[in-house]
Amino acid sequence: MKRISYVILASILSAGFASCNYLSIDDYFSDEIKIDEVFANKRNVQAYIWGMTGDLRDEGSLYQDSDFPGPLATDEAFTMYGTQHGYNGMRLVLGEISASSPYSFSNVWTTSYQCIRRANTVFARIDEAKDLTAQDRAELLSLNRFIRAYAYYKLWLAYGPVILVGDEEIPSNLDLGEYDRARATNEETVEYICSELEEAAKYLPETYPLMEFGRPTKGAAYGLIARIRTYYASPLWNGGEAARRCFGNWYRKTDRVKYVTTDEYDEERWAIAAAACKRVMDMKRNGAPMYSLFTVQEDTQTPPLPEGVTSDPDFYEPYPVGAAGIDHLRSYSEQFTGEAVIATNPEYVWGRKSQSLVDNTRMSFPISFGGWGGMALTQKIVDSYSMYDGRSIDNSSEAYPYSESGFTNEQKSFSGYRLNAGVYNMYDNREMRFYACVGFSERFWPMSSTTMSGKYNQTVTYYYDSPNGKQNSATDYSPTGYVIVKYIHPNDAWDGDNARRMDKGYPIIRYADILLMYAESLNHLTKAYEIKLGDETYSVSRDLNEIKSAFNLVRHRSGMPGISNNDLADEETFQKILEIERMKEFLHEGLRYFDVRRWGIYEETENETIMGMNVDGSKENFYQRTVPNTSRIGARLVHKKLYLLPIPLSEIRKLPSCDQNPGWES
């Protein structure tokens, strides 16, 4: 029987470590091998550590049964899908989430602490595996430490200050409630997670073979630190108005210590965040930058740069100095659609293959072509995209005008994208990220993997009486007349012979995020700082050239002019510009939910009424801004308690010393 067990174990190891999915190890030991055998040898320890991640969800699960509320709990998205099907972002904003019935958000609490418990077992017992070399031990402990820190990171994102259990081994036959303790303060939580990631990074490799894509690297640890430090420096956690409003009266009941700093602003946090981002930016491999933005070289289908741009003197220079020489639509789009090779994308500081992203494309696909057609974008998102020359829709030029009347007269083709004739003028002359992300009425859908006539090369409309309009279903339609198409490849199809979908990658940390967090952090500095991280010291200040260089890499990649000196001169002005840039650049990547909260603008953004096109009208009256005709709009809940999720009431009852989050019943 033992021989059979080890044969099974060997096959699991082989499959797991050859897989592109770093969460591929089953929870084998809890069912098949006693805990004493885990530490019998190196191979078992490896499998046990990887098995800790088995309960963690696919990070690319952004809409349904997800760990975090995601786009549906922001101004990015709206849907009529029934919340009983696991659309927890909608549940949250409709007031259906409570501490006693948090649905799947309780999964973060439960599985994270299970992971932490198992990691502590490894720390306590790893020396029992006598065939481990000193290097084996160091590498496995670093991996174990990273996984435990990542579990704490997810807890912090969801709930704020956490319960820290240190290295204490908690026997598996005891409930966590047997180790009742109070939550740490927010400062203690952040410093602990970052210190653990710093320690883990010492022995994590910089890269893995392509077949092991998705495993955490040194860059993944440094990238998480950069994100945590940036969030920690932001107003919600750093003495801002949102901190005072949400956490001003939040004290730990065991000693009356405040959980969150609400009275003192610490500018040095921004300096530390900037240094943490710069460390990732400075990483090298064989003398070249470890990470860079993904780009595709221009070809005959690439449209010329817009004429007449004067605000950015570098705009017409070759990328990365300017925007010339690359295809801006493909450079942005192909890293999400599956066209780019996921494992070799230099923009992934840490990423993974995501089956959830593949499956979720069906939520946007037209119902007449095998989809559900209801993962809607809001008019606010559509309006945020610039015109082709970088001007806003409220300040468009004669060369690239914006109009809310009439339709285009001719078909356009660029970068492999077809813009039909007869498209509403609102959707003409827009920046390339708009076409990469927004599905609008009269959009052309290639769906070229299917070979069935009538199932590919189709134009889709969302008028009430169209095949994909509201008349066909109470839930499977777009209530705004738009859908998210960011992850949909031109080959992707859900209906017809040979219909298939391309594999998708989800960037847990994308280099564009590092660049924009760096620019944001520098923007808030009023003096120079010397920040030591590990063995390196970083000099940071509000250096306008540094801010411009980082920010413009993202802008130029999208084909947009870089930031002007006038817009950069004022801290508040640039912050507002950066907020819009992040909304567009990271649309439906799960970041906006956290961004609007850390900036303290969640209530402001969510109080804006959701709008779209008139899906109750035929083509003649479809194209007018309107509030969707559904009670869900008025039922959306905006409340300061929604800055954090509730800790499951069942857990609070087990832990008398643990305080509930503000505003949630305990």
Side-chain angles (χ1 to χ4, degrees), residues 497-626:
D497 298 338
N498 302 313
R500 61 181 178 84
R501 278 73 59 194
M502 300 285 284
D503 288 341
K504 316 293 179 188
Y506 177 74
I508 301 171
I509 305 169
R510 187 151 69 86
Y511 189 58
D513 193 15
I514 298 295
L515 291 171
L516 292 186
M517 289 191 297
Y518 180 60
E520 179 183 359
S521 299
L522 292 181
N523 181 52
H524 294 299
L525 300 181
T526 61
K527 62 181 182 179
Y529 292 85
E530 298 289 319
I531 302 297
K532 187 171 184 179
L533 295 176
D535 297 328
E536 298 292 330
T537 299
Y538 298 86
S539 300
V540 294
S541 64
R542 195 175 190 273
D543 184 317
L544 300 189
N545 288 328
E546 280 286 290
I547 298 173
K548 182 184 292 187
S549 176
F551 187 79
N552 284 359
L553 281 172
V554 178
R555 272 282 184 90
H556 288 156
R557 194 264 298 273
S558 70
M560 293 289 93
I563 190 76
S564 70
N565 289 333
N566 287 339
D567 287 337
L568 192 56
D570 179 70
E571 174 189 353
E572 185 175 343
T573 298
F574 178 67
Q575 175 65 27
K576 295 299 182 184
I577 291 171
L578 181 135
E579 289 172 8
I580 296 172
E581 192 69 23
R582 287 186 63 89
M583 180 169 66
K584 295 189 294 183
E585 179 68 22
F586 304 117
L587 181 72
H588 279 242
E589 292 182 44
L591 297 187
R592 185 157 176 82
Y593 173 84
F594 301 110
D595 276 350
V596 297
R597 282 162 171 76
R598 69 181 179 89
W599 292 328
I601 63 172
Y602 146 73
E603 291 158 279
E604 174 188 336
T605 60
E606 286 303 299
N607 269 316
E608 296 179 31
T609 302
I610 287 176
M611 299 189 73
M613 293 290 98
N614 179 22
V615 299
D616 288 308
S618 58
K619 182 175 181 177
E620 289 70 26
N621 50 18
F622 175 86
Y623 294 105
Q624 52 185 329
R625 295 167 180 268
T626 186

Side-chain angles (χ1 to χ4, degrees), residues 80-97:
M80 297 303 297
Y81 296 150
T83 58
Q84 71 272 21
H85 299 303
Y87 295 97
N88 293 312
M90 289 302 301
R91 279 176 168 159
L92 184 70
V93 298
L94 293 177
E96 297 176 9
I97 299 293

